[in-house]
Amino acid sequence: MIDVEYVVRTSYGRLLALLASADGDIAAAEDALSDAFERALRTWPNDGVPANPDGWLLTTARNRRRDTWKSAAYRTSISLDPAEHTRAHLDTIDPDAVPDKRLQLMAVCAHPAIDRAVHTPLMLDVILGYTAADIARAFALPSSTLAARLGRAKKRIRDAGLSFELPDRTVLPERIDAILAAVYGAFAIDWHSTGSEVRDGLTGEALHLAETACDLLPDDAEAHGLAALICLSSARLPSRYSSGVFVPLSEQDFRLWDERLLARGEVHLRRAHGLVAAGASALGRFQLESAISAVHCARRHSGSTDWSTLRELYSVLQELTPTLGGAVALAVVTAETDGADVASNMLDALDGTDRFQPAWAVRAHLLAQLGEAEKSRAAYEKAISLTPDAPTRRYLERFVSGR
Amino acid sequence: MRYTLVLNNAEPAEGEIDAEVITQMQEAFGVYGRALQSAGVLVAAEVLASASATKTVTLRTGALQIQDGPFADSKEGVAGVFVIDVPDEDAALMWAERCPGAQFGVVEVRAAATSFVNGSWT
């Protein structure tokens, strides 16, 4: 018996892209496709699985769409344009012969005219076929809120006629950044969720999306960088908590890391390096972040952490894509290479750290190393007060004497 | 330092929100409540019954008046409150930002001027 769930996950985005590219109406294509999946569920168990399940689903969905176009309700509400409404090309589509349209669909999802906050949910919805309720759970949002946002985005795609054309090389760089950022968002969901209780589920799907991007853009080093980053980061997930307490990367038990994912990540990273070395692609944040991750992971072979390489990588990352989190991380590795006082000065020079929990945690560590016990304690208290996540709070509380 | 997070939003009509969404909201508020409790900052949490089940009491005209309905009649109203005890406004804002109510309404963050604790005003 074929696993329909599996067919949905692997074929959904491809079939939807084919159906929606006819007129840009994602919602209508989804209706037709879900109808086709429903028919598959009803008929396949009795009639057997067709030789070409994707072709069967596409044909069924296509027929369903054609029924709609022909229906009286549709024809009386919209003037019929034979040239447009015949959609003759749909009849000739062989899902295995046409170039993969998922890239276009991903590019449409990440269109600059669509609210950035919806890019990731929209991709999970239209490429992977997640329901609004599934996505809402992962984002800790009410499903009605998310469904409304998705609905608005799809309406906008249809009404504004956002392009389903294959993005040419001149627009691809700006669009691919948004695509990769959205995929990363699916992995590192940092919504306003409360702590670790609701953070689960989407890492495998994010890797699937990242590797889809690699398949579609085999020469894009950043796509491989992102796939590497997701592999290397997920490989360490089993060691992130110990008895409900957060374990920082440098103290994690590397015997718990997933060797299979580490190896897969390293393949992507090498591919990215090769592309950059050959001048085929540019260096980017995901390659640097995955390289940083790889240096940390190398501890399982060398037994020690190469802090000076990390410092270099973080410096380049800050030059390329400066972020507050990156600046704080640079201070952390600088403390290891140049001492706590240098790092402390770096941290003090940063703007906007007042409500930034990681900055307070690092400041507290550094002040402790500098022998400033009172100030360190106050900084730990501040960091704890800004931590909604219980395992992280328990970790920080260990450093405050008397608690 | 005590802060009250006042949740303001339009009150949904009967049947306007389906049961599944209500369940999800209850789960989200459950996660939120447990997080506040495990952080040791929770003083009180109340989700309020509908405005139509509200009565107002006043003696300001000299005589007792008890009336149906909330004091101020507007489209959005107080739907619930969380009283939390945190070191400063930064922490209060951090918790307000994570309140599920912020996803569909507005969360007002008000510092307590004084609180009645252990028999007297602080």
Side-chain angles (χ1 to χ4, degrees), chain A residues 141 143 191 194 197 382 393, chain B residues 24 34-35 38 88 90 103:
Chain A
L141 281 169
S143 65
W191 200 258
T194 307
E197 194 170 347
K382 180 76 182 171
R393 203 167 43 242
Chain B
Q24 287 165 1
R34 285 192 294 279
S38 95
D88 52 31
D90 290 344
Q103 298 291 345

Side-chain angles (χ1 to χ4, degrees), chain B residues 47-107:
Chain B
V47 170
L48 305 180
S50 76
S52 62
T54 302
K55 294 229 175 356
T56 54
V57 175
T58 181
L59 286 161
R60 70 182 164 197
T61 56
L64 174 67
Q65 283 189 10
I66 300 176
Q67 288 179 338
D68 285 341
F71 170 61
D73 201 11
S74 68
K75 202 160 153 277
E76 299 210 324
V78 178
V81 291
F82 285 88
V83 181
I84 58 175
D85 195 347
V86 292
D88 52 31
E89 190 185 58
D90 290 344
L93 291 171
M94 185 275 288
W95 285 110
E97 186 183 318
R98 284 169 173 78
C99 179
Q103 298 291 345
F104 54 87
V106 173
V107 178

Side-chain angles (χ1 to χ4, degrees), chain A residues 176-198:
Chain A
I176 192 65
D177 283 354
I179 292 172
L180 297 180
V183 174
Y184 183 64
F187 172 68
I189 284 179
D190 187 17
W191 200 258
H192 303 300
S193 56
T194 307
S196 51
E197 194 170 347
V198 291

Side-chain angles (χ1 to χ4, degrees), chain A residues 184-331:
Chain A
Y184 183 64
F187 172 68
I189 284 179
D190 187 17
W191 200 258
H192 303 300
S193 56
T194 307
S196 51
E197 194 170 347
V198 291
R199 268 165 210 269
D200 60 353
L202 293 183
T203 56
E205 304 302 347
L207 182 57
H208 179 69
L209 282 175
E211 293 195 324
T212 300
C214 291
D215 290 344
L216 301 171
L217 295 165
D219 292 337
D220 189 284
E222 273 295 83
H224 288 285
L226 175 62
L229 179 60
I230 294 175
C231 284
L232 298 176
S233 306
S234 354
R236 299 193 310 259
L237 288 178
S239 62
R240 281 184 75 210
Y241 300 103
S242 170
S243 313
V245 181
F246 171 75
V247 183
L249 180 46
S250 59
E251 293 167 27
Q252 287 176 6
D253 180 355
F254 55 72
R255 287 166 303 181
L256 299 173
W257 294 349
D258 184 329
E259 276 296 334
R260 205 175 44 86
L261 276 173
L262 290 175
R264 195 157 147 193
E266 277 156 14
V267 169
H268 281 296
L269 194 51
R270 269 197 300 278
R271 171 94 181 124
H273 281 175
L275 287 163
V276 174
S281 194
L283 188 67
R285 66 169 281 216
F286 292 123
Q287 294 164 68
L288 286 164
E289 286 182 43
S290 58
I292 285 165
S293 210
V295 172
H296 280 293
C297 293
R299 177 164 62 84
R300 74 194 195 280
H301 301 306
S302 64
S304 63
T305 302
D306 184 351
W307 293 107
S308 61
T309 300
L310 285 178
R311 189 175 189 280
E312 267 176 55
L313 289 168
Y314 269 118
S315 300
V316 180
L317 181 61
Q318 271 307 97
E319 276 171 34
L320 204 65
T321 46
T323 60
L324 195 52
V328 171
L330 181 56

